[in-house]
């Protein structure tokens, strides 16, 4: 960007493509916008992301970067596998993968259903693994790329309404 001096130039991401999961709102949206501001084109995915006209799309394109949106239910293994293939086929090579999508099901631990547990594990563990493996394979072949994982502190503390998975 014009006017950038010194150290900030070293953090430019011009010519890169970033895939950000959970990009519709919150930290994922902020990361997509920040990466765009640094010069990266953005591929965004969330379960309910609008394919056109989203707030995140507007903010990314206002920064002069390209934007592509996908909707994918990360609790559905078949959908995640199909998305991993589709996103790699339809876009330039992905240089940065931000595994940000996550979910939580609040219910007393003694009443927490196995279905809720499975949904949380699919979204928070399986989907990032599948995407990291598929996109990471491409990164290894190219000899470059970055994968970033985002996690909630609730994964370490749990709570009365939040069964936890920690060692």
């Amino acid at each position: 960007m014009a006017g950038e001096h010194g150290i900030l130039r070293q953090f430019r991401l011009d010519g890169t493509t970033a895939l950000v999961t959970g990009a519709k709102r919150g930290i994922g949206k902020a990361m997509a916008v920040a990466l765009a501001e640094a010069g990266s084109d953005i591929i965004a995915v969330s379960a309910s992301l609008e394919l056109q006209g989203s707030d995140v799309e507007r903010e990314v394109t206002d920064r002069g970067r390209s934007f592509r949106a996908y909707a994918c239910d990360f609790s559905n293994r078949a959908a995640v596998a199909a998305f991993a293939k589709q996103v790699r086929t339809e876009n330039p090579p992905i240089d940065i993968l931000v595994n940000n999508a996550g979910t939580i099901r609040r219910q007393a631990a003694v009443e927490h259903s196995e279905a809720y547990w499975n949904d949380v594990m699919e979204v928070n563990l399986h989907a990032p693994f599948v995407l990291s493996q598929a996109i990471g394979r491409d990164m290894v072949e190219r000899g470059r790329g970055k994968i970033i994982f985002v996690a909630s502190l609730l994964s370490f503390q749990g709570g009365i309404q939040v069964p936890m998975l920690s060692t």
Side-chain angles (χ1 to χ4, degrees):
M1 293 176 93
E4 285 187 356
H5 299 17
I7 194 76
L8 292 179
R9 282 186 295 219
Q10 295 181 38
F11 291 96
R12 294 294 306 161
L13 297 172
D14 299 307
T16 64
T17 299
L19 168 59
V20 181
T21 71
K24 182 174 181 168
R25 63 178 190 266
I27 293 171
K29 178 181 173 187
M31 293 177 106
V33 171
L35 288 164
E37 195 165 306
S40 191
D41 292 324
I42 303 298
I43 303 165
V45 60
S46 286
S48 60
L49 183 61
E50 302 89 345
L51 298 182
Q52 293 182 336
S54 67
D55 288 343
V56 67
E57 176 181 11
R58 181 185 46 77
E59 290 190 45
V60 166
T61 58
D62 283 353
R63 285 159 175 80
R65 306 313 315 161
S66 70
F67 180 87
R68 180 121 191 218
Y70 291 88
C72 182
D73 176 1
F74 278 13
S75 69
N76 179 317
R77 281 191 178 203
V80 172
F83 171 70
K85 183 176 181 179
Q86 179 183 16
V87 75
R88 292 167 58 228
T89 302
E90 295 179 351
N91 295 284
I94 295 167
D95 302 291
I96 303 164
L97 168 61
V98 179
N99 283 306
N100 170 72
T103 194
I104 193 162
R105 302 281 191 232
R106 294 185 186 276
Q107 188 176 37
V110 296
E111 298 169 7
H112 203 272
S113 72
E114 200 169 315
Y116 273 15
W117 178 262
N118 290 337
D119 282 348
V120 170
M121 293 300 109
E122 291 297 324
V123 173
N124 296 356
L125 295 176
H126 186 263
F129 170 77
V130 169
L131 291 176
S132 296
Q133 188 176 51
I135 293 167
R137 184 177 295 115
D138 296 340
M139 291 174 175
V140 168
E141 288 174 8
R142 288 192 323 271
R144 63 182 164 82
K146 303 291 184 215
I147 300 176
I148 301 164
F149 289 87
V150 178
S152 167
L153 287 175
L154 272 177
S155 63
F156 297 102
Q157 72 183 38
I160 294 170
Q161 297 288 317
V162 183
M164 64 181 264
L165 176 65
S166 185
T167 57

